[in-house]
């Protein structure tokens, strides 16, 4: 305790610790924050007398949760695909849209032609919307550059976001997202000549926290992803993977073999893959925004994740094609409504389990020694965060102890 300590009182806290009590809930609690970290949390009746002289801030009965964590985004990207959305609703097929210059290729074109400044300004507008919902950590992927210069630029923009705003940014290198037009039909050459050398360059510049890929019929095979993951391993970088989104290629199993932090999407995952994830401690990141936008009908194997004890996270997957969903609170609601997650599972999905999906050990739960990243809500019960649609009850967001 120092003069930098603050005591919050008159609050209930959903600590999200492992606990027999739902949400790790403590009613009528106090939280002591010292030098940006949580010093003490517990029932106010147990507050050590040493803290008794500190000035108290009343939260008037509000609920406190860990700051929210969006563990899967493509929030740095050029342009939008609203016209493509409109074309599809007017009857065009995905292929016709692609032939007319739509799809991932159009986002690559727009991202390549954007400057670092405009990319940053565009992304910050989206980040600010998340911040207003109490988000304190975010993952940001590259993968719309698909050439060395633009991939590096995307990652520099991601780092810049962490400097311009009070938010923790974790970057993922997603060079193996799609094959760019100039390498059409030469996927292996793209992996060898562009993706892997760019990963090495980005890592040398300190721009990479994890390595991601898209393992899918329309993207890369498990063998191709494995070549990228081998380099990640050599560089000492953790991996994660877009897997089993549209079909089952064994991507999650491959990811688990590399001790992946997470495998993401997973609609077409089988129980064998679930077991492999459980054994490896790989988090299942569920992305209801893409499921909804693509009007997918096969849900991820939630019951099997529960049965085998695979931790589940939820994220927006913010991207201009399959998930133009810029709200983590709505994502929480959709996780419950579309996939029947309980509100507690959904809240764990954007706090403790999202932290784990990013390899972050100092956030996602409220306990002594963790960073004081907190969200203070005008709600009585945590289920309210999952229940309302299009309503933001955030009162105050605290990042590293500062409001
Ligand atoms: N899965 C997705 O749903 C997005 N990327 C990925 O690997 C699609 C991205 C896009 O359509 O722009
Ligand atoms: Fe994604």
């Amino acid at each position: 305790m120092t003069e930098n300590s603050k005591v919050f009182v008159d609050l209930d806290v959903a600590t999200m610790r492992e606990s027999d009590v739902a949400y790790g809930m403590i009613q009528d609690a106090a939280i002591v924050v010292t030098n940006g970290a949580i010093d003490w949390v517990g029932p106010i009746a147990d507050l050590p007398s040493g803290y008794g002289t500190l000035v108290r801030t009343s939260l008037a009965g509000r609920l406190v949760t860990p700051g929210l964590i969006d563990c899967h985004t493509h929030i740095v990207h050029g342009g939008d695909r609203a016209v493509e959305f409109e074309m599809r609703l007017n009857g065009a097929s995905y292929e016709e849209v692609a032939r007319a210059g739509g799809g991932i290729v159009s986002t690559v074109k727009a991202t390549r032609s954007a400057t670092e400044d405009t990319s940053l300004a565009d992304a910050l507008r989206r980040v600010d919307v998340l911040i207003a919902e109490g988000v304190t950590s975010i993952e940001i992927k590259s993968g719309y550059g698909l050439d060395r210069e633009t991939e590096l630029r995307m990652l520099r923009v991601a780092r810049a976001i962490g400097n311009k705003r009070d938010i923790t940014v974790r970057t993922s290198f997603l060079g193996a997202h799609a094959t760019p037009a100039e390498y059409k039909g030469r996927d292996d050459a793209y992996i060898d000549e562009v993706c892997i050398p760019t990963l090495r360059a980005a890592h040398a510049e300190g721009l990479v926290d994890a390595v991601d890929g898209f393992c899918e019929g329309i993207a890369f095979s498990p063998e191709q992803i494995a070549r990228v993951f081998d380099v990640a391993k050599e560089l000492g970088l953790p991996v994660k993977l877009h897997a089993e989104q549209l079909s089952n290629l064994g991507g999650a199993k491959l990811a688990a073999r590399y001790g992946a932090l997470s495998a993401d999407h997973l609609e077409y995952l089988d129980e064998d893959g679930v077991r492999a994830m459980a054994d490896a401690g790989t988090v299942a990141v569920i992305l209801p925004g893409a499921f909804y936008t693509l009007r997918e009908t096969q849900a991820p194997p939630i019951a099997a994740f529960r049965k085998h004890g695979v931790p589940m996270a939820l994220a927006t997957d913010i991207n201009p094609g399959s998930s133009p969903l810029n709200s983590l609170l709505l994502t929480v609601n959709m996780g419950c409504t579309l996939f029947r997650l309980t509100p507690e599972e959904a809240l764990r999905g954007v706090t403790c389990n999202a932290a784990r999906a990013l390899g972050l050990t100092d956030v996602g739960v409220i306990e002594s020694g963790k960073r004081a990243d907190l969200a203070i809500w005008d709600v009585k019960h945590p289920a309210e965060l999952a229940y309302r649609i299009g309503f933001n009850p955030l009162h105050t967001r605290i990042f590293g102890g500062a409001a």
Side-chain angles (χ1 to χ4, degrees):
M1 184 185 61
T2 70
E3 61 273 24
N4 288 325
S5 296
K6 281 179 272 201
V7 186
F8 295 102
V9 296
D10 301 327
L11 59 102
D12 296 333
V13 57
T15 66
M16 308 317 286
R17 285 187 296 216
E18 293 293 335
S19 162
D20 296 340
V21 182
Y23 305 94
M25 196 76 180
I26 305 170
Q27 309 282 345
D28 205 2
I31 301 173
V32 183
V33 172
T34 302
N35 296 328
I38 294 158
D39 203 347
W40 188 89
V41 59
I44 187 143
D46 298 346
L47 186 69
S49 59
Y51 296 120
T53 57
L54 295 171
V55 179
R56 295 178 173 206
T57 302
S58 168
L59 296 186
R62 293 188 178 88
L63 175 76
V64 181
T65 69
L68 304 188
I69 301 171
D70 193 351
C71 68
H72 180 139
T73 87
H74 309 249
I75 207 165
V76 175
H77 58 257
D80 67 76
R81 309 229 292 266
V83 170
E84 174 181 324
F85 176 69
E86 186 170 51
M87 284 168 72
R88 287 208 311 266
L89 288 169
N90 280 317
S93 71
Y94 193 75
E95 288 73 17
E96 284 164 340
V97 168
R99 256 181 266 124
I104 289 186
V105 177
S106 81
T107 299
V108 170
K109 209 189 278 169
T111 306
R112 285 180 179 178
S113 67
T115 65
E116 197 160 322
D117 284 352
T118 55
S119 286
L120 177 60
D122 282 355
L124 283 174
R125 288 173 61 205
R126 296 187 275 267
V127 169
D128 286 341
V129 173
L130 295 179
I131 284 175
E133 288 188 335
V135 173
T136 48
S137 301
I138 181 178
E139 185 257 15
I140 301 177
K141 301 174 195 299
S142 70
Y144 285 120
L146 308 181
D147 63 25
R148 182 183 179 114
E149 185 190 329
T150 317
E151 287 290 302
L152 291 175
R153 188 164 70 234
M154 286 185 76
L155 293 167
R156 287 189 202 112
V157 168
R159 285 280 188 251
I161 288 167
N163 295 327
K164 292 271 179 196
R165 293 292 187 271
D166 285 339
I167 192 164
T168 298
V169 171
R170 300 297 281 177
T171 59
S172 298
F173 175 78
L174 181 54
H177 189 199
T179 302
E182 63 274 19
Y183 273 88
K184 197 170 179 190
R186 297 187 298 132
D187 302 354
D188 283 308
Y190 169 72
I191 294 284
D192 295 335
E193 293 168 19
V194 180
C195 181
I196 289 174
T198 302
L199 167 56
R200 291 186 187 282
H203 172 67
E205 223 183 287
L207 294 173
V208 185
D209 298 322
V211 175
D212 197 350
F214 188 17
C215 185
E216 192 55 67
I218 55 163
F220 297 99
S221 69
E223 294 70 29
Q224 288 162 338
I225 296 292
R227 294 214 312 272
V228 179
F229 281 4
D230 283 336
V231 177
K233 201 166 153 192
E234 176 202 321
L235 299 175
L237 294 169
V239 302
K240 45 180 56 242
L241 189 64
H242 290 68
E244 275 72 77
Q245 180 185 6
L246 309 168
S247 62
N248 186 352
L249 295 187
K253 237 177 163 173
L254 169 82
R257 218 174 340 110
Y258 284 83
L261 290 171
S262 71
D264 304 39
H265 287 287
L266 303 172
E267 279 85 341
Y268 289 84
L269 184 64
D270 57 23
E271 190 155 354
D272 224 30
V274 175
R275 253 187 242 108
M277 289 177 64
D279 291 345
T282 298
V283 176
V285 177
I286 309 297
L287 304 167
F291 176 92
Y292 167 86
T293 301
L294 299 178
R295 308 186 76 232
E296 177 58 67
T297 51
Q298 175 150 333
I302 304 296
F305 292 140
R306 287 186 186 124
K307 176 175 156 198
H308 294 283
V310 175
M312 291 182 277
L314 275 173
T316 59
D317 193 18
I318 296 174
N319 76 66
S322 66
S323 188
L325 168 60
N326 212 133
S327 167
L328 195 55
L329 285 175
L330 181 53
T331 302
V332 164
N333 171 269
M334 290 165 84
C336 295
T337 306
L338 296 175
F339 301 142
R340 315 306 291 163
L341 295 184
T342 66
E344 181 178 1
E345 285 172 329
L347 197 56
R348 289 192 180 277
V350 295
T351 55
C352 49
N353 290 346
R356 186 161 163 189
L358 297 181
L360 293 172
T361 54
D362 61 341
V363 292
V365 294
I366 298 177
E367 67 188 7
S368 167
K370 303 286 183 192
R371 256 181 81 88
D373 285 358
L374 307 172
I376 301 167
W377 306 96
D378 267 320
V379 305
K380 285 282 167 222
H381 190 279
E384 281 181 64
L385 299 176
Y387 144 81
R388 287 196 193 274
I389 301 169
F391 181 74
N392 178 1
L394 186 75
H395 181 264
T396 307
R397 173 185 176 274
I398 293 178
F399 181 74

